[in-house]
Amino acid sequence: MNQLNHDKRKKIVLALVLATVIVIITFFYNHYMQSSEPVAKSGFYFNTVIAIQLNDTADESLIDDCFAMADTYEHYFSRTLEGSDIYRINHANGAPVEVHEETADLIRAGIQYGQLSDGIFDITIGALTELWDIPNNEGVVPDADAIKKASSTVDYTQILVEEKTVTLQNPDARLDLGGIAKGYAADKMKEYLNAHGAKEGFINLGGNVLTLGEKSDHTPYKIGIRKPFSSEGETITSVEITDQSVVTSGRYERYFEKDGRIYHHILNPFTGYPYENDLNAVTILSDSSMEGDALSTICFALGMEKGMELIDSMPDIDAIFIDTDNNLHDTRR
């Protein structure tokens, strides 16, 4: 991606974040108003805005360290950043590539989610992602033959990971870790902050929200969930969580509309087209943001009935399904 396109995308994302608040977080910290102010910063990584607020420390260097981690992970996991681990794998023509240990670990996790979902979640979907290019697509549906060709390269079982060496046994396949990379990075940031004494606050990594501990008044954090397709960042509901993650996947996040049909970014690896089902969005409440990342995509792909069955089978995971009429279906019932 050239610098012009990168700057254009950055401006678009920043504008969207400012115009439509994906997640609304309300904090009431009266004792901090009397003693010490929270410290907060934002940055731009993974083609999105990261915001971190810490309420029990004034040490801004902790946030700076988290941003440095985000930069490192972007240079490991980015599909488009030339020289990244994933870029090198995708352009190796099937040759083995030695990568950083965390890259190998994340690819293994992606394979596991592929197994869990029977291929609904597949990190070799990169050729389809590139073909559709939903974030930059102004309304062009790819040719059916091109979609079929790209779909034929999707098969997570053809990834070989041996310690820190990764091989795509189909040289035409392309990895795309976008379904779990942000969640992984957010989990690592939270782990780092906790290890360095920051126990209260939040991380918002482009909509992946993690809270640190509980608030000083022992009440939960209140997280707003955006109403699908609302133009003013309107919320449809909110959830209260303590020391947990909230992640949403929906067809309103990145899409274009053509001839009355919505083409969104959650692609079906078997058909090559965006999923069409009874859902607008799925929100996952979990301890791990990476798990929430993967499960929100998997449950959206499964649809309402099968998605709720999956969540009901998983202890300590909850979900809110928003159907195409914007009715809420909450597994916490």
Side-chain angles (χ1 to χ4, degrees):
M1 180 184 299
N2 60 41
Q3 184 62 40
L4 181 61
N5 286 337
H6 175 78
D7 290 343
K8 180 181 177 183
R9 177 177 291 184
K10 182 175 179 178
K11 289 178 181 178
I12 291 171
V13 174
L14 284 169
L16 288 173
V17 170
L18 291 173
T20 58
V21 181
I22 299 174
V23 180
I24 297 175
I25 305 178
T26 305
F27 294 94
F28 297 96
Y29 293 107
N30 289 332
H31 94 268
Y32 283 112
M33 295 300 293
Q34 299 170 359
S35 57
S36 63
E37 292 290 333
V39 57
K41 284 188 174 184
S42 62
F44 191 86
Y45 303 91
F46 295 104
N47 286 322
T48 192
V49 174
I50 299 176
I52 300 176
Q53 178 170 307
L54 305 177
N55 301 299
D56 56 353
T57 177
D59 188 355
E60 292 187 13
S61 69
L62 293 178
I63 299 179
D64 293 334
D65 290 344
C66 286
F67 289 163
M69 292 171 65
D71 184 68
T72 296
Y73 289 137
E74 190 167 19
H75 281 78
Y76 289 175
F77 307 147
S78 172
R79 175 177 56 83
T80 59
L81 188 61
E82 189 170 350
S84 74
D85 283 352
I86 300 305
Y87 186 95
R88 291 189 298 112
I89 294 169
N90 285 347
H91 292 81
N93 296 315
V97 177
E98 186 171 349
V99 299
H100 294 87
E101 184 175 359
E102 289 188 272
T103 303
D105 288 343
L106 189 57
I107 291 172
R108 290 189 186 95
I111 293 171
Q112 291 173 353
Y113 286 119
Q115 294 168 340
L116 171 69
S117 65
D118 292 327
I120 286 176
F121 185 96
D122 196 314
I123 60 173
T124 60
I125 202 168
L128 276 172
T129 305
E130 293 174 5
L131 179 64
W132 281 92
D133 192 21
I134 293 293
N136 301 304
N137 194 320
E138 297 181 353
V140 178
V141 177
D143 178 78
D145 288 338
I147 292 174
K148 184 177 180 180
K149 181 179 179 181
S151 297
S152 70
T153 69
V154 182
D155 184 356
Y156 72 92
T157 67
Q158 296 301 302
I159 307 170
L160 181 62
V161 185
E162 297 175 311
E163 296 184 351
K164 294 191 295 180
T165 300
V166 181
T167 306
L168 292 180
Q169 295 176 301
N170 180 346
D172 294 325
R174 296 290 184 268
L175 291 179
D176 183 348
L177 299 183
I180 50 176
K182 285 197 307 180
Y184 177 90
D187 286 337
K188 289 297 183 179
M189 290 178 191
K190 179 176 178 177
E191 182 181 311
Y192 175 83
L193 291 171
N194 285 166
H196 287 79
K199 307 292 185 181
E200 185 183 343
F202 72 89
I203 301 166
N204 184 349
L205 208 168
N208 287 55
V209 178
L210 292 85
T211 61
L212 281 64
E214 63 179 3
K215 294 195 292 186
S216 57
D217 60 1
H218 306 295
T219 59
Y221 298 87
K222 189 174 183 179
I223 314 297
I225 298 173
R226 182 185 165 192
K227 182 178 181 180
F229 300 105
S230 63
S231 59
E232 301 297 330
E234 180 184 355
T235 58
I236 192 170
T237 190
S238 62
V239 295
E240 294 185 346
I241 61 170
T242 296
D243 205 34
Q244 281 191 306
S245 164
V246 178
V247 181
T248 298
S249 288
R251 67 190 187 111
Y252 61 90
E253 295 175 312
R254 296 186 294 279
Y255 71 95
F256 67 87
E257 189 169 353
K258 186 176 179 64
D259 298 328
R261 178 178 174 183
I262 289 175
Y263 294 89
H264 56 81
H265 73 290
I266 307 177
L267 301 174
N268 185 330
F270 301 107
T271 68
Y273 288 84
Y275 279 101
E276 290 189 83
N277 55 28
D278 53 357
L279 291 173
N280 272 339
V282 179
T283 295
I284 300 293
L285 286 66
S286 59
D287 292 335
S288 163
S289 187
M290 182 179 72
E291 187 168 39
D293 241 355
L295 288 176
S296 63
T297 300
I298 292 169
C299 288
F300 183 93
L302 287 172
M304 178 93 65
E305 183 177 351
K306 291 183 178 179
M308 293 190 77
E309 286 178 2
L310 175 63
I311 296 302
D312 286 340
S313 72
M314 305 181 77
D316 303 320
I317 305 288
D318 288 303
I320 298 173
F321 293 76
I322 305 175
D323 66 26
T324 50
D325 293 319
N326 279 343
N327 297 311
L328 304 179
H329 306 264
D330 195 331
T331 63
R332 298 172 298 170
R333 62 190 184 281

